[in-house]
Amino acid sequence: MRTGVWLVGARGSVATTSIVGALALRAGLTGPTGCVTELPELRGPALPSFADLVFGGHDVVATPLAKRAEALAAAGVLPGRLVTALAEELAAVERDLRPAPTGGRQADRADATARDLTDFRRRHALDRVVVVNVSATEPAAQPHPGHADPTALRAALAGPDEVLPPSSLYAYAAVRAGCAYVDFTPSTGLRLPALAALAAERGVPYAGHDGKTGETLVKSVLAPMFAMRHLAVRSWSGFNLLGGGDGATLADPAANAAKVESKQRVLGETLGHLPQGGTRIEYVEALGDFKTAWDLITFAGFLGTGMRMEFTWHGCDSALAAPLVLDLARLTAAAHAAGHAGPLTELAFFFKDPIGAPTHSLAEQWRTLCGFAGRLHAGGTDDPRR
């Protein structure tokens, strides 16, 4: 199944690492470490192979993809030998990158985006296209009457207002073009009634939000442990230090608040209460594409005995996120081919703030994901929306 992966933010660190990684896997230059779709529980005939993936995308910057890859290699994010070995392949992807549409009404920008997606699909004779948002985190969307339903949205977009944030405008264009949509960011994306209704109407699946790659991944394992052992978590404080473009974006208070809300939700919904403390995110330019998180947890055991736990997580954001982007593109394409439409709640395993997921427990999310993959490989769908 030839599958297009259209990356919003295609020249960013996560997108570039995803592209280089997929090309290296296709060429046999690296192994699939970090790609959960290559584990025996998920691997199977329904998923497009790495060789089936064709990359394109939009970005607001024009830095050549090879230059971005060279910069990431210099920063220790990916091996420099891959950039050299894959020069021709990166040049081919470069030809499928487009400047993000700007100016005019939002309806015009959506039309231009949808045309780019349709042209990409036709040019490469693709069976499916999955649009994956890996762009900068946005502030929370401001309410607008156009968010209510597809009819109101179409009318509002034809006017002069900025009705949708960029992530949602891309989601709108993707759905109109018949493409599945994945939001790897905490931005609004498809989380608006009008867009959800439009996706159901067009039979398009979508997934999100906010890829679970570091501190929150650890939280989704530890929080259920405390709950299952009936230990009373009194406080949970996290301090995150980020470099790179993501850290710079999160220096904006509104974007920071959207990210923090996404990270905190796992605790309240898993523990049944939100303990004292919070999450702080600070931009440290010198860290580059790496990040460090330190968490302190205080809890009470039998007879009220006070105890504490702390952990530190050091990671490279792009190297943690890129294999998950490839996993999500493969799974979402397979789900679309199997006839799934609407929110893919079964992909909650990958997200901090998953759409419609009943649990934040990583173990339970993993079991759900394995069952879903098994049904895809068996050639059927149990989607009640069909």
Side-chain angles (χ1 to χ4, degrees):
M1 178 169 56
R2 283 178 61 76
T3 300
V5 183
W6 190 269
L7 298 164
V8 181
R11 301 183 191 278
S13 297
V14 172
T16 303
T17 307
S18 300
I19 293 167
V20 171
L23 296 176
L25 285 163
R26 185 170 70 189
L29 298 176
T30 193
T33 302
C35 295
V36 300
T37 47
E38 286 300 292
L39 290 171
E41 296 90 337
L42 300 184
R43 189 171 58 235
L47 303 183
S49 69
F50 293 113
D52 289 328
L53 303 182
V54 181
F55 291 89
H58 281 121
D59 209 314
V60 295
V61 300
T63 306
L65 188 62
K67 291 293 183 184
R68 289 291 297 123
E70 288 170 3
L72 290 172
V77 175
L78 52 86
R81 63 179 177 82
L82 294 182
V83 183
T84 302
L86 297 168
E88 290 185 12
E89 291 84 352
L90 288 170
V93 175
E94 179 73 35
R95 291 192 287 273
D96 277 309
L97 302 187
R98 299 290 181 267
T102 57
R105 302 170 304 167
Q106 284 202 310
D108 298 327
R109 279 174 262 160
D111 288 343
T113 300
R115 281 195 300 273
D116 284 341
L117 292 170
T118 301
D119 290 346
F120 177 59
R121 179 165 49 208
R122 290 174 179 166
R123 188 163 59 251
H124 293 284
L126 301 171
D127 298 298
R128 304 281 167 185
V129 175
V130 181
V131 176
V132 184
N133 181 25
V134 286
S135 62
T137 298
E138 302 166 354
Q142 295 299 311
H144 190 283
H147 298 168
D149 61 72
T151 302
L153 181 60
R154 280 189 289 267
L157 291 174
D161 294 346
E162 292 292 300
V163 179
L164 295 176
S167 64
S168 299
L169 192 63
Y170 272 106
Y172 175 70
V175 171
R176 283 186 51 208
C179 304
Y181 179 83
V182 176
D183 204 331
F184 204 75
T185 80
S187 302
T188 304
L190 246 155
R191 284 185 294 190
L192 294 172
L195 295 178
L198 187 63
E201 178 184 304
R202 299 291 180 95
V204 171
Y206 57 93
H209 294 85
D210 202 4
K212 187 162 54 185
T213 58
E215 180 200 30
T216 310
L217 177 65
V218 180
K219 284 181 176 179
S220 69
V221 175
L222 290 180
M225 177 197 75
F226 285 109
M228 287 186 286
R229 287 295 301 268
H230 202 193
L231 297 170
V233 176
R234 291 172 168 168
S235 69
W236 196 314
S237 300
F239 187 50
N240 292 242
L241 303 173
L242 286 80
D246 194 30
T249 298
L250 295 175
D252 173 69
N256 193 300
K259 185 77 170 181
V260 167
E261 182 181 358
S262 173
K263 291 172 72 68
Q264 284 294 95
R265 188 167 287 120
V266 63
L267 292 181
E269 295 184 5
T270 303
L271 299 174
H273 72 286
L274 194 60
Q276 184 183 4
T279 298
R280 287 183 57 196
I281 301 174
E282 186 172 309
Y283 173 48
V284 180
E285 185 178 2
L287 289 177
D289 204 55
F290 289 76
K291 62 183 180 182
T292 295
W294 173 75
D295 279 47
L296 172 65
I297 308 153
T298 64
F299 62 98
F302 190 51
L303 305 178
T305 304
M307 292 170 270
R308 76 181 197 179
M309 175 184 182
E310 54 189 280
F311 68 84
T312 305
W313 172 277
H314 302 281
C316 175
D317 208 34
S318 298
L320 291 164
L324 303 186
V325 169
L326 302 180
D327 288 331
L328 284 162
R330 299 175 78 195
L331 286 162
T332 305
H336 198 184
H340 287 263
L344 296 174
T345 59
E346 299 89 349
L347 301 187
F349 175 82
F350 296 97
F351 300 107
K352 296 181 182 75
D353 184 18
I355 298 172
T359 176
H360 284 277
S361 166
L362 193 69
E364 293 182 36
Q365 291 173 344
W366 172 249
R367 286 192 288 271
T368 298
L369 178 62
C370 290
F372 181 61
R375 293 189 292 276
L376 290 176
H377 297 315
T381 175
D382 59 352
D383 190 348
R385 295 159 293 203
R386 284 182 56 77

